[in-house]
Amino acid sequence: MPQATLALTEDRRRCTGESHQAIHALLPDTDQPLTIPAARHPEQAQLEAAVFLACCKIGSLSEHPLGIVQVCPEEDRLTLRLLDEPYVVHHWAEFLLPRLTGEENDHPQDRVLGVAGLRYRRESGGISLYRPGMPTRVLITGFNPRWWERIADRLTTDYGLLQGEPDWTPPERAAYTAAVRSPFEPPSLFSPLLRRIRATAGTGPFNGTDAWHSVGGCFRLETTDGPPCPELIRFLGDGPTGLGWKIDHKSCTCLCDHTHSGMGCTIDFLEPTTGQFVYYSNLKWGRTHSDRHSQTITELNRLAFA
């Protein structure tokens, strides 16, 4: 396999976890690096942003951020291969599938837990997540679909999920409308990040990625053990697969020739099209495998079906 051809897919493979064989046919005839497509429809980007923000709370229990092993980005859908562990599937189902809080809060988004309007159906290859009446689709795969169905059935019994509703409920519609109008969950930031989620992973055995809206109209992006800063800057900045984010300030220790115990790296990114800041931190926890970790995973997998 020519090294030049491999180089043309290298950045995308690093960002998505795809294989060269799977994406080789997508290479353009111009000998240019293969890019990562953006979501074509605004509703698709909205769904991807909501999925990202809901599921990034999983923590760092494996080498795969958010439990995502591989991303296959297309203009009209996104396919995510998850880690083949019941606890990951349980986390995704619990944090994604919508249910009403039962409280009359002032803000519509506080009345719905999960992703408003989200429904699922089992398809060949996995579980398809969609919103009724919208051109949206996120396919999650890599695990036994029956796990998802068992977990969803249990959650429906415990929490009264809205999966049985064929269309949007009024509270969900109100929550969705509020999210679209809100500056706190911009799809222009979070949909592209989900499509490049593997870029936030370092080489260690544990990788956690989290993001949230912060005070002052800015956003926080945090990794527990992320990649070297130059690598992340390439993938989110002006690299072939980048987002065009600019560096406003950087404090980096990852290229030093000695360790900095307890010290991480910070990068202040500026997203030029919106003028919004994304403050990134790599905590550099440096954790390693242990018997206690293995016991934790075993217990979480047992509880996933309990």
Side-chain angles (χ1 to χ4, degrees):
M1 188 177 297
Q3 290 299 316
T5 303
L6 280 171
L8 294 178
T9 65
E10 182 179 359
D11 278 15
R12 171 158 167 170
R13 286 186 283 114
R14 177 63 178 85
C15 290
T16 65
E18 297 167 292
S19 68
H20 177 78
Q21 291 80 2
I23 58 179
H24 176 265
L26 301 177
L27 279 170
D29 296 330
T30 57
D31 290 332
Q32 294 297 312
L34 187 61
T35 59
I36 297 175
R40 177 189 305 167
H41 299 287
E43 293 87 355
Q44 176 71 23
Q46 287 280 355
L47 177 60
E48 293 175 13
V51 167
F52 175 80
L53 291 170
C55 288
C56 65
K57 309 306 179 186
I58 193 172
S60 56
L61 294 175
S62 78
E63 63 183 294
H64 308 290
L66 283 67
I68 298 174
V69 177
Q70 186 182 86
V71 180
C72 180
E74 300 173 73
E75 289 185 345
D76 56 353
R77 77 168 184 175
L78 185 66
T79 300
L80 303 172
R81 181 159 67 89
L82 303 185
L83 184 63
D84 189 18
E85 295 274 13
Y87 81 89
V88 173
V89 179
H90 184 278
H91 173 92
W92 275 65
E94 183 173 22
F95 282 87
L96 286 182
L97 297 178
R99 58 187 184 271
L100 302 180
T101 63
E103 301 178 2
E104 291 298 325
N105 295 302
D106 292 335
H107 200 286
Q109 289 178 276
D110 294 333
R111 300 172 190 168
V112 179
L113 294 175
V115 176
L118 186 72
R119 302 292 185 267
Y120 76 84
R121 55 176 171 256
R122 184 170 175 176
E123 294 184 358
S124 176
I127 299 295
S128 180
L129 307 175
Y130 66 98
R131 277 171 159 161
M134 290 186 172
T136 58
R137 188 182 181 207
V138 174
L139 180 68
I140 52 176
T141 186
F143 56 90
N144 186 340
R146 180 57 185 155
W147 291 359
W148 179 277
E149 293 173 331
R150 286 177 59 190
I151 292 167
D153 287 346
R154 177 59 185 272
L155 293 174
T156 298
T157 300
D158 291 347
Y159 300 130
L161 300 182
L162 298 174
Q163 170 63 25
E165 299 289 338
D167 206 345
W168 296 70
T169 62
E172 288 179 288
R173 181 65 73 178
Y176 171 80
T177 300
V180 170
R181 295 174 177 173
S182 170
F184 300 150
E185 300 178 6
S188 61
L189 291 181
F190 297 122
S191 171
L193 277 174
L194 181 59
R195 288 174 171 244
R196 293 162 174 78
I197 192 63
R198 299 294 313 172
T200 67
T203 59
F206 300 105
N207 284 290
T209 300
D210 197 359
W212 64 95
H213 175 261
S214 187
V215 177
C218 59
F219 298 89
R220 294 282 178 180
L221 177 63
E222 183 178 274
T223 58
T224 57
D225 293 277
C229 291
E231 190 174 309
L232 186 73
I233 291 169
R234 175 178 174 84
F235 297 139
L236 300 185
D238 294 325
T241 61
L243 298 175
W245 291 6
K246 307 300 181 183
I247 299 175
D248 184 71
H249 181 266
K250 179 166 69 84
S251 177
C252 175
T253 64
C254 59
L255 295 183
C256 294
D257 58 2
H258 58 283
T259 60
H260 290 254
S261 177
M263 295 181 65
C265 297
T266 62
I267 307 173
D268 298 346
F269 287 106
L270 175 65
E271 203 287 303
T273 61
T274 63
Q276 293 172 316
F277 282 96
V278 180
Y279 296 122
Y280 167 75
S281 298
N282 180 1
L283 302 181
K284 293 193 172 183
W285 284 357
R287 293 175 302 162
T288 58
H289 279 294
S290 66
D291 290 341
R292 181 176 180 180
H293 171 262
S294 299
Q295 293 168 1
T296 297
I297 297 300
T298 299
E299 180 65 8
L300 288 175
N301 283 336
R302 184 188 69 79
L303 293 174
F305 300 121

